[in-house]
Amino acid sequence: MLGLPQPCRTMQRILVSTHRAPLFGSAASRAIEQQAQAGLPAHTLMRRAGRAVARLALAAMPQALRIWIVAGPGNNGGDGLDAAMHLQAAGRHVDVTLLADAARLPDDARDALQRAREAGVAIHTHLPPTTPVVDLAIDGLLGLGATRSPAGELARAVAFVNEVPAPRLAIDLPSGLHADTGQPLGTACVRATHTLALLTLKPGLFTAAGRELAGEIWFDDLDVAPDASLAPAAWLTGADEARASAVLRHHAQHKGSFGDVMVIGGAPGMSGAASLAARAALAAGAGRVYLSALDSRSAPIDLQRPELMLREAMWESIEALSSSTVVCGCGGGSAVADVLPVALHRAARLVLDADALNAIAADPALHRALQARGARLAPTVLTPQPLEAGRLLDRDARAVQADRLGAADQLARLFSAVVVLKGSGTIIAAPTRVSWINPTGNASLATAGTGDVLAGWIGGQWAAHAAATTAQPSSLGPLQRVAASAVWRHGAAADRAVAEGSSGPLLAADLIEAMRRAA
């Protein structure tokens, strides 16, 4: 008996978490499950899982009196069957549709089925003729083991779940979602309003389509601690980790204490992009920001931000390049290709964005120069969106999106750089290090100029951090953390704007001030 609904001791709401969290892929999650089962009495994990699902349903959706659970042929379905018993004991009207051969269920699921039957739970073996009228649908169709798109009756069940005009709770993963990549396995995928991840958090819940398909994400570790020898596939950035890269300002410090940023960009017709990057660098904490436009006819001063210092062809100064954090490519057009050879060779710290990345992808000599920069341990951050990442890897954007973690890691290793692969669930990768997935942000950032703001903010925060730290300039660990912090704040500003009632796009110029206020 459950008694009154209350959150489980180990259950927590994810997004945005206070602390960073490990994300385990399919293989590691199975290994953790097998290790846990070896040390527990039979069926313990499934019974914990079923209880956790029921507790969340009662706590988060207490008004749900009519509950439909659709269970599949694996242990995910067993979790649903176990949950059904608890929900019925709590006074809910529960119907289960079991789309599986009972004789071929795994041992744990077969045990749950027997106990559900003994408890008098209504179990049907065929889908109803039309979408059920219920207050809550629980998706227990497919879980971690799914490798192909739901088909046949399973696909029809997915469609029914999505049609239910009520909350939809997915057990562990929305059925049809790839646990590792965050991409649907095919056309049939549950669109959950809530997902309860069990035992481990999976990276696919937090990147690509996963964020949208999973809805509000909860986690219950089922009282199991992963073996320390199992490395996570990625880390989900926590608020505390994101804030750790902030540079404190002391009384005796001056603007020279926080580093210089040089922004190179703003080809004819695109001066706004470079201006946004420069403003963001200043707001992020750089002591001085120089804007060196590729269009010699640009205005001699930014009237809204007169603090910015405009310098014509500043990249021709080897001394300036070798002492600055350079942000290159924002609104660079084709003209940026002429500047890249010296920037790649001489910049002390280099953030490459937008047209700079496109120029490198198109020119084998620049491609080799970027690789040579990495080989000599000159620190670099690349900030591609999927199309730009694809060009650098000689593939299309769809292939990048199919495995965002893999693509970001490949880029990081190829160029020995920190890579910020933008998009839903931005990936922050560094060679030989575990990637981070950013949990903040929303579609209000899908507007012109917000990427320029991010590149500039990374540059400004990096300049201030480099001036204040004793870490080796080539150390990519601290640089990955700086980039992750900037990405987190970028998304948090958008989340705060939405929470305060903003609708539609967050204009890039407004985003800078919003990032200053983002906690």
Side-chain angles (χ1 to χ4, degrees):
M1 297 290 290
L2 283 175
L4 293 174
Q6 54 184 326
C8 196
R9 179 176 62 83
T10 54
M11 190 180 296
Q12 58 180 305
R13 179 185 285 145
I14 308 298
L15 300 182
V16 174
S17 179
T18 302
H19 304 288
R20 72 172 182 167
L23 306 176
F24 292 96
S26 301
S29 293
R30 291 191 190 95
I32 292 167
E33 181 178 13
Q34 291 167 0
Q35 290 173 359
Q37 287 176 328
L40 292 169
H43 316 309
T44 297
L45 278 185
M46 181 163 289
R47 294 182 183 187
R48 290 178 183 176
R51 189 175 182 87
V53 171
R55 283 190 181 276
L56 178 58
L58 292 171
M61 282 121 340
Q63 78 289 349
L65 301 180
R66 299 166 299 171
I67 300 175
W68 177 47
I69 300 175
V70 59
N75 283 332
N76 201 247
D79 296 338
L81 288 163
D82 196 286
M85 288 180 284
H86 296 299
L87 291 167
Q88 180 164 287
R92 302 309 192 259
H93 178 84
V94 181
D95 281 298
V96 176
T97 299
L98 176 62
L99 299 179
D101 180 351
R104 299 178 65 182
L105 288 173
D107 288 345
D108 284 347
R110 192 161 53 247
D111 172 74
L113 174 60
Q114 179 180 338
R115 290 185 296 110
R117 284 172 170 167
E118 291 172 353
V121 174
I123 300 174
H124 312 278
T125 56
H126 297 284
L127 287 169
T130 58
T131 303
V133 179
V134 293
D135 305 313
L136 170 65
I138 297 180
D139 163 31
L141 282 169
L142 300 172
L144 196 63
T147 57
R148 60 181 183 270
S149 178
E153 282 290 273
L154 291 177
R156 187 164 167 252
V158 167
F160 272 19
V161 170
N162 287 337
E163 290 168 4
V164 169
R168 298 175 295 276
L169 169 59
I171 299 175
D172 202 31
L173 291 160
S175 291
L177 182 72
H178 196 293
D180 297 339
T181 68
Q183 288 291 2
L185 294 165
T187 57
C189 190
V190 165
R191 301 181 67 88
T193 56
H194 298 75
T195 295
L196 175 58
L198 297 169
L199 196 64
T200 63
L201 286 167
K202 289 78 180 173
L205 292 170
F206 301 98
T207 194
R211 284 279 300 277
E212 186 168 2
L213 293 171
E216 186 172 328
I217 301 171
W218 297 73
F219 174 53
D220 194 307
D221 64 10
L222 306 183
D223 290 326
V224 172
D227 190 306
S229 65
L230 288 171
W235 288 97
L236 186 68
T237 309
D240 55 350
E241 286 283 344
R243 293 170 180 141
S245 292
V247 176
L248 298 178
R249 292 184 167 237
H250 303 288
H251 273 288
Q253 290 181 299
H254 52 83
K255 63 189 177 199
S257 305
F258 300 102
D260 294 344
V261 171
M262 181 195 305
V263 175
I264 303 173
M270 294 184 283
S271 60
S275 178
L276 286 167
R279 293 184 191 185
L282 192 65
R288 293 173 294 217
V289 177
Y290 300 93
L291 175 53
S292 193
L294 294 166
D295 182 3
S296 60
R297 299 167 298 174
S298 292
I301 189 170
D302 185 332
L303 295 176
Q304 291 184 310
R305 283 267 78 98
E307 305 95 327
L308 300 177
M309 294 175 278
L310 276 64
R311 295 289 189 274
E312 186 174 351
M314 191 178 182
W315 56 83
E316 294 178 355
S317 168
I318 302 304
E319 181 181 357
L321 281 172
S322 61
S323 61
S324 299
T325 300
V326 178
V327 178
C328 182
C330 300
S334 59
V336 75
D338 295 333
V339 176
L340 279 169
V342 67
L344 288 167
H345 186 62
R346 296 292 187 177
R349 293 166 296 278
L350 183 59
V351 179
L352 294 170
D353 184 55
D355 289 325
L357 298 174
N358 289 328
I360 290 167
D363 187 333
L366 292 176
H367 198 279
R368 291 191 297 270
L370 179 55
Q371 288 182 297
R373 178 179 173 84
R376 65 177 183 271
L377 303 182
T380 308
V381 177
L382 314 180
T383 61
Q385 37 91 326
L387 182 59
E388 293 157 355
R391 288 168 179 158
L392 289 167
L393 293 171
D394 194 23
R395 63 184 69 159
D396 61 22
R398 182 178 297 181
V400 170
Q401 289 293 81
D403 183 7
R404 288 171 54 78
L405 276 168
D409 181 68
Q410 187 177 350
L411 275 174
R413 292 175 182 272
L414 178 63
F415 296 114
S416 299
V418 168
V419 172
V420 175
L421 178 56
K422 295 180 288 193
S424 180
T426 292
I427 310 293
I428 304 96
T432 73
R433 302 184 66 85
V434 176
S435 294
W436 294 29
I437 298 180
N438 181 61
T440 63
N442 56 68
S444 69
L445 292 172
T447 185
T450 56
D452 303 310
V453 169
L454 177 59
W457 196 282
I458 292 172
Q461 188 168 328
W462 187 9
H465 193 270
T469 187
T470 57
Q472 292 297 315
S474 61
S475 176
L476 294 181
L479 178 52
Q480 184 185 23
R481 181 168 281 104
V482 167
S485 174
V487 172
W488 187 93
R489 184 176 288 268
H490 188 253
D495 289 342
R496 179 171 176 173
V498 169
E500 292 175 349
S502 175
S503 60
L506 180 55
L507 301 183
D510 299 333
L511 173 61
I512 297 171
E513 183 56 33
M515 289 181 69
R516 285 171 54 90
R517 296 185 287 109

